[in-house]
Amino acid sequence: AQTVTQSQPEMSVQEAETVTLSCTYDTSENNYYLFWYKQPPSRQMILVIRQEAYKQQNATENRFSVNFQKAAKSFSLKISDSQLGDTAMYFCAFMKDTSGTYKYIFGTGTRLKVLA
Amino acid sequence: GAGVSQSPRYKVAKRGQDVALRCDPISGHVSLFWYQQALGQGPEFLTYFQNEAQLDKSGLPSDRFFAERPEGSVSTLKIQRTQQEDSAVYLCASSLTDSRNTEAFFGQGTRLTVV
């Protein structure tokens, strides 16, 4: 079975600074996807960034980038130039590349607070 | 619609009551799925639909939980004889295709409290 571990329950960062959120996962699969989702108080999960396991290059979306280490099964999220609107819960998630389902395995989340 | 819509936003049920939670996906989206999020936890998979076909219901915790999507659009998650451990936020999401490459869009969830 796959598992996702987020070891930082809470983090804080000063506005405009950089912060890195950690995520490790366990799987015997070779093909899979990894995601970071943001969940503000509105509860709506919003996709931040996605990485396909077969791609060597780390994904980047504007101020958000990942450090994907496949051998170490690590998938950290770096947020640059943090903004107050980045305050939210952040969930790391894993999904097997299998047809017939759409099953994310989520971690327990990291609560990020951006300080003014 | 503009996004995934769930109703009601909040539901309080007495233990033993039946409840029905509704999800309106984005129009034309093929995939629809339900997740359960307990307080302080990450969401956990309940079930997956591709159009009207329920292809995966491996996450439904008991036979008290039932989901349907009869016309391949709106979906309803029904919980019979609710119990306190059913208290959680129920999230619905939809995706344009059945490919893992396609972004999934989540609704704002229904917070169910069983008293």
Side-chain angles (χ1 to χ4, degrees):
Chain A
Q2 290 80 31
T3 58
V4 176
T5 302
Q6 293 180 251
S7 58
Q8 305 152 315
E10 292 187 6
M11 293 193 72
S12 61
V13 62
Q14 288 294 134
E15 196 175 8
E17 297 293 305
T18 295
V19 64
T20 299
L21 308 184
S22 301
C23 173
T24 58
Y25 58 95
D26 188 25
T27 185
S28 58
E29 302 288 327
N30 194 45
N31 297 323
Y32 51 87
Y33 297 85
L34 295 163
F35 306 82
W36 278 98
Y37 274 90
K38 169 184 177 181
Q39 188 177 43
S42 68
R43 301 198 304 255
Q44 188 172 20
M45 302 282 278
I46 301 165
L47 179 65
V48 174
I49 200 164
R50 170 177 54 212
Q51 174 84 41
E52 291 90 343
Y54 65 86
K55 288 188 177 177
Q56 302 272 2
Q57 190 170 7
N58 288 325
T60 300
E61 287 287 342
N62 300 314
R63 298 183 295 107
F64 299 88
S65 62
V66 297
N67 183 4
F68 173 47
Q69 301 289 327
K70 190 172 184 180
K73 297 180 182 173
S74 170
F75 183 62
S76 60
L77 174 69
K78 185 170 85 170
I79 306 174
S80 304
D81 186 26
S82 297
Q83 300 175 1
L84 295 177
D86 295 334
T87 293
M89 282 290 290
Y90 286 81
F91 290 96
C92 178
F94 168 99
M95 182 184 291
K96 284 196 300 185
D97 188 12
T98 306
S99 62
T101 191
Y102 218 110
K103 187 182 295 186
Y104 292 98
I105 307 296
F106 285 94
T108 52
T110 295
R111 184 177 302 280
L112 177 67
K113 189 168 185 179
V114 180
L115 306 170
Chain B
V4 177
S5 177
Q6 292 187 246
S7 60
R9 288 290 310 277
Y10 301 90
K11 175 70 179 177
V12 178
K14 290 186 178 178
R15 193 161 50 120
Q17 206 173 9
D18 296 351
V19 298
L21 312 181
R22 178 187 169 105
C23 173
D24 281 85
I26 295 172
S27 179
H29 277 199
V30 165
S31 293
L32 182 146
F33 35 97
W34 287 92
Y35 281 75
Q36 180 191 57
Q37 186 175 18
L39 188 64
Q41 301 296 314
E44 292 194 357
F45 175 81
L46 291 176
T47 188
Y48 167 70
F49 289 88
Q50 187 180 106
N51 296 308
E52 69 279 3
Q54 189 176 20
L55 298 187
D56 187 349
K57 53 182 181 179
S58 62
L60 296 176
S62 77
D63 58 8
R64 296 186 297 103
F65 286 71
F66 172 76
E68 60 183 3
R69 193 187 185 198
E71 297 176 1
S73 177
V74 171
S75 177
T76 303
L77 176 67
K78 296 179 180 178
I79 309 173
Q80 297 177 322
R81 304 182 303 282
T82 52
Q83 299 178 6
Q84 283 194 313
E85 61 261 31
D86 299 335
S87 295
V89 173
Y90 291 85
L91 297 168
C92 174
S94 70
S95 178
L96 181 61
T97 73
D98 61 348
S99 166
R100 258 60 56 199
N101 266 325
T102 312
E103 183 174 351
F105 295 88
F106 283 79
Q108 292 184 295
T110 294
R111 181 182 296 279
L112 173 65
T113 303
V114 181
V115 297

